[in-house]
Amino acid sequence: MAAVEQCSLSAQWRPVSLTHVEYPAGDVYGQLLAYLSLGPVVILISFVTLIIFKRELHTISFLGGLVMNEGVNWVIKNIVREPRPCEGMHTTVTTEYGLPSSHSQFMWFFSVYSFLFLYLRMHQTNNARFLDLLWRHVLSLCLLTAASLVSYSRVYLMYHSWSQVTYGAVAGSILAIAWFAITQEILTPLFPRIASWPVSEFFLIRDTSLIPNILWFEYTVTRSEARSRQRKLGTKLQ
């Protein structure tokens, strides 16, 4: 069934397993959007996993920006106190206020910050190939599409109005630009010093801010080390 557009129309809402997100029963499109709206949860879990295995300062700073963004969202909600549309329709909402949409603000912060990182932080080298630029464009388009779909899902599922998701998108984008500038101009120059702290060395926290393309760097270093070890192993077996 299609999701209703008016609060007066009734619908049987079914929650996604182990989550607080609900969708109209029998609405496959609504169910898909409900899963898409779990994007912030997936991103947070991915960040925690990435930090545990990579322990890189910029990734930690990025997560700190996301947490700050959520804090700002909570403050704005409790100052404005604008109720959600169709108030009382959902029984599993975590907050009673809807302006701005936290999902929209989170996704647009993540997408805009990632966009700036791809084009301003990961500098192209002189030998950059066409595919190097192409994957950035494709990834940026995917990020912006994901943010738009999550924002739309919050309206479709009647958790927010269009104005609430729009304000969330604007707030998230502005905070992303501000946090990226703070990270680049203030925090990044401090990363080498922080990485040299004894506690950072103990937890193997590292700084890769001077490496323009960490993916290519890790690939080449790993390949070189693997070949070196393979040659040494072959020498011992002779």
Side-chain angles (χ1 to χ4, degrees), residues 110 113-125 127-144 211-217 219:
F110 175 78
Y113 189 100
S114 299
F115 179 88
L116 295 173
F117 179 84
L118 286 171
Y119 287 98
L120 299 181
R121 176 71 180 271
M122 295 183 66
H123 301 291
Q124 288 287 346
T125 57
N127 60 348
R129 294 171 297 179
F130 170 76
L131 291 178
D132 294 327
L133 285 172
L134 178 62
W135 78 264
R136 297 184 191 215
H137 298 332
V138 172
L139 182 56
S140 298
L141 180 61
C142 291
L143 288 168
L144 297 177
I211 302 174
N213 192 329
I214 187 62
L215 293 177
W216 177 253
F217 174 79
Y219 169 73

Side-chain angles (χ1 to χ4, degrees), residues 219-232:
Y219 169 73
T220 54
V221 169
T222 302
R223 184 177 62 176
S224 177
E225 180 65 18
R227 289 178 176 177
S228 176
R229 291 178 180 270
Q230 188 176 17
R231 285 194 299 266
K232 291 179 181 179

Side-chain angles (χ1 to χ4, degrees), residues 42-122:
V42 175
I43 291 173
L44 285 176
I45 294 174
S46 300
F47 261 99
V48 173
T49 304
L50 190 61
I51 288 174
I52 291 174
F53 286 97
K54 292 295 184 179
R55 309 187 187 194
E56 202 276 323
L57 283 171
H58 188 271
T59 305
I60 297 173
S61 175
F62 196 165
L63 178 60
L66 288 170
V67 174
M68 176 275 300
N69 179 64
E70 287 297 291
V72 172
N73 179 269
W74 183 87
V75 170
I76 296 176
K77 276 185 176 179
N78 284 272
I79 291 177
V80 179
R81 297 190 174 187
E82 179 176 297
R84 296 174 182 271
C86 308
E87 190 175 7
M89 174 173 289
H90 296 284
T91 60
T92 57
V93 291
T94 56
T95 59
E96 60 180 313
Y97 306 124
L99 180 70
S101 164
S102 59
H103 282 70
S104 178
Q105 186 170 327
F106 182 100
M107 289 301 300
W108 281 98
F109 181 100
F110 175 78
S111 298
V112 171
Y113 189 100
S114 299
F115 179 88
L116 295 173
F117 179 84
L118 286 171
Y119 287 98
L120 299 181
R121 176 71 180 271
M122 295 183 66

